[in-house]
Amino acid sequence: MLPTFTYVRPKTVAEALEQGAAEGAALHAGGTDLLGCLRDRVFQAGKIVSLSGLSELRGIAATREGGLRIGALTTLAEIAEHATIQERYPALAQGAASAASPQLRSQGTLGGNLCQRPRCWYFRGDFHCLRKGGGRCYAVAGQNQFHCILGGMGCYIVHPSDTAPALIALGAQVRIVSRGSSRLLALESFFVPPAQTVRRENVLRPGELVSEVRLPPAPAGMRSRYRKVRARGSWDFALAGVAVAAVLAEGKVQQVRVVLSGVAPIPWRATEAEAALVGKPLDADAIGRAAAASVAGAQPLSHNGYKIHLVRGIVAETLEALV
Ligand SMILES: Cc1cc2nc3c(=O)[nH]c(=O)nc-3n(C[C@H](O)[C@H](O)[C@H](O)COP(=O)(O)OP(=O)(O)OC[C@H]3O[C@@H](n4cnc5c(N)ncnc54)[C@H](O)[C@@H]3O)c2cc1C
Ligand code: SF4
C-alpha cells in the first residue's frame, strides 16, 4: 500500500521548484519508478510534486545549432518513435525502445529515466544497506549476479537507464534548473559513482530538477547503435548493454564513444575501447582489440563473471553492425 502524502500539481516551473525545495518533497513525472519506491518504502516522501502540468518540459524540437532539445517530460515512446531521432540518433531511439514495456514507455519520461533509483534487490527490499544510510552492502557477499563489474566501491549497483548510455555516446547535455539558476552540463558528468558517494546516483540537489536534454548536431558520417541483452525478451533491465556512436570518414574511425550499460553504477565510458578504434579502419582486428579493451579494469563479484564475456560479445557485435 502507498503511504499517505500530500499532492500538488504546479502550473509553472518556478512553482514546481518552490514546492520541490520543501523538505520531504519528491518530484513525480510518469510515476513508473517513484510510486514503486514509495510503496516498497525504499524512501519516504511527505509531499509529491507532480510535474505533469508543466507543458514547457514536454516535446522534441530542433535547436538553432542543428541539434535537438528534448523536454524532460517527453515520454520514452515519443523518443523511440520520433522520425528525426530514428534517422540521426538511432542509438537513442533504440535505447528508448528497449526500456521496460510499451505501457511503461507511454507513461515513463526521459527525466524520470535518467533519475530513476537503482534496482538492486537489497536496496529495493527490507535491507538497510549503505545506499540507504546503513552500515554494509548486502550484495557483496550475497546474490550479486545482476550487479556491477566496473566502478563498484562499497556499493555495486548498476545504473538502470537505457537512454543514458545512448545519450552520452551522442554527446548530450542536460539542463538542471533550481530557483534562480539554470546550468547545462555534459550528461556524462550528471551521474555520480560510489567512489564519490553511495547515497545518490546523480548531482541533483533538493530543489533542483532536470528540465531538458540537448543533443548536438549529428556530424556527417556519424553512425550509432544501442544493443541490450536482457534475461526476458518482453521487458527487463539490461544484464549488459552498449551504445556506440562513431564518425567514419576515409575508411577510418575519426571519433567514437563506447558507453556500457548494466555493468557499472554509472553509464560507463569504455575509454580504452575507444582508444583502440580511433584512427583505425573498423575491421576485425580493431573490433577484436576494442572488444577486449571494453572490460579493462573489470572486477567481477562472486556471481557475475559472465558479464565480462557478455560485454566483449556485444561490443564486437555492435561495432560490426556499424560497418
Ligand atoms: C517493470 C519495470 C521495468 C522497467 N524497465 C526499464 C528498462 O528496461 N530500462 C529502463 O531504462 N528503465 C526501466 N524502468 C524504469 C523507469 O520506470 C522508466 O525508465 C521511466 O522512464 C521512469 O520515468 P518516470 O517518468 O515514470 O519517472 P518517475 O517514476 O516519475 O520518477 C523517477 C525518479 O526520477 C525523479 N524525477 C522524475 N523526473 C524528474 C525530473 N525532471 N527532474 C528531476 N528528478 C526527476 C523522481 O523524483 C523519481 O525519483 C522500468 C520500470 C518498471 C516499473
Ligand atoms: S549494491 Fe549498493 S544498493 Fe545494493 S545492497 Fe549494496 S550498498 Fe545497497
Side-chain angles (χ1 to χ4, degrees):
M1 219 170 71
L2 277 171
T4 39
F5 46 73
T6 56
Y7 177 87
V8 291
R9 190 166 179 266
K11 293 277 188 304
T12 63
V13 171
E15 198 192 331
L17 290 169
E18 186 77 38
Q19 296 279 359
E23 201 176 328
L27 302 176
H28 174 276
T32 60
D33 180 52
L34 177 72
L35 296 182
C37 287
L38 294 179
R39 184 198 57 212
D40 298 337
R41 310 297 199 264
V42 175
F43 56 83
Q44 293 172 349
K47 174 159 83 170
I48 300 301
V49 181
S50 169
L51 304 180
S52 61
L54 308 178
S55 51
E56 65 207 89
L57 299 193
R58 295 187 188 282
I60 303 170
T63 61
R64 261 182 308 190
E65 303 78 41
L68 284 183
R69 178 240 180 225
I70 309 177
L73 287 183
T74 309
T75 66
L76 298 181
E78 288 166 335
I79 293 169
E81 288 155 17
H82 195 268
T84 308
I85 295 180
Q86 288 179 349
E87 187 196 323
R88 291 197 220 151
Y89 309 98
L92 176 58
Q94 291 158 7
S98 72
S101 64
Q103 292 90 336
L104 289 160
R105 291 196 291 275
S106 299
Q107 177 73 14
T109 66
L110 180 60
N113 189 265
L114 300 178
C115 300
Q116 60 179 300
R117 302 305 310 272
R119 306 304 296 195
C120 168
W121 40 36
Y122 297 106
F123 178 73
R124 294 271 168 165
D126 271 345
F127 295 84
H128 193 57
C129 72
L130 277 178
R131 195 162 283 273
K132 285 180 177 160
R136 59 178 280 214
C137 170
Y138 293 86
V140 70
Q143 294 298 314
N144 52 40
Q145 53 268 47
F146 299 140
H147 288 74
C148 74
I149 57 171
L150 288 155
M153 194 176 278
C155 169
Y156 299 88
I157 57 162
V158 295
H159 199 279
S161 170
D162 285 311
T163 61
L167 285 165
I168 291 172
L170 294 164
Q173 293 178 301
V174 62
R175 184 177 298 283
I176 297 174
V177 291
S178 62
R179 286 180 293 179
S181 90
S182 162
R183 65 187 202 276
L184 257 185
L185 75 158
L187 183 61
E188 194 178 358
S189 309
F190 178 70
F191 299 101
V192 173
Q196 209 168 313
T197 173
V198 294
R199 294 305 305 281
R200 56 197 168 88
E201 295 83 47
N202 57 57
V203 299
L204 282 184
R205 296 284 181 186
E208 294 186 324
L209 64 77
V210 170
S211 64
E212 66 182 27
V213 167
R214 284 184 168 250
L215 281 164
M222 186 175 80
R223 302 173 194 184
S224 74
R225 290 184 82 83
Y226 180 66
R227 168 91 163 92
K228 167 182 177 181
V229 177
R230 51 192 158 184
R232 283 175 294 197
S234 52
W235 65 264
D236 221 333
F237 292 91
L239 293 174
V242 61
V244 179
V247 176
L248 300 169
E250 295 162 9
K252 289 186 180 161
V253 177
Q254 306 297 320
Q255 59 187 67
V256 65
R257 282 191 176 194
V258 178
V259 188
L260 305 178
S261 61
V263 292
I266 56 173
W268 189 263
R269 281 268 312 261
T271 48
E272 297 195 23
E274 295 170 3
L277 293 165
V278 174
K280 314 273 183 351
L282 200 50
D283 58 15
D285 185 47
I287 290 174
R289 286 176 199 277
S294 62
V295 283
Q299 292 185 310
L301 300 167
S302 48
H303 301 299
N304 67 4
Y306 70 92
K307 289 196 179 193
I308 290 194
H309 309 287
L310 199 51
V311 170
R312 285 191 188 128
I314 57 174
V315 168
E317 216 175 84
T318 308
L319 289 169
E320 280 160 13
L322 280 188
V323 184

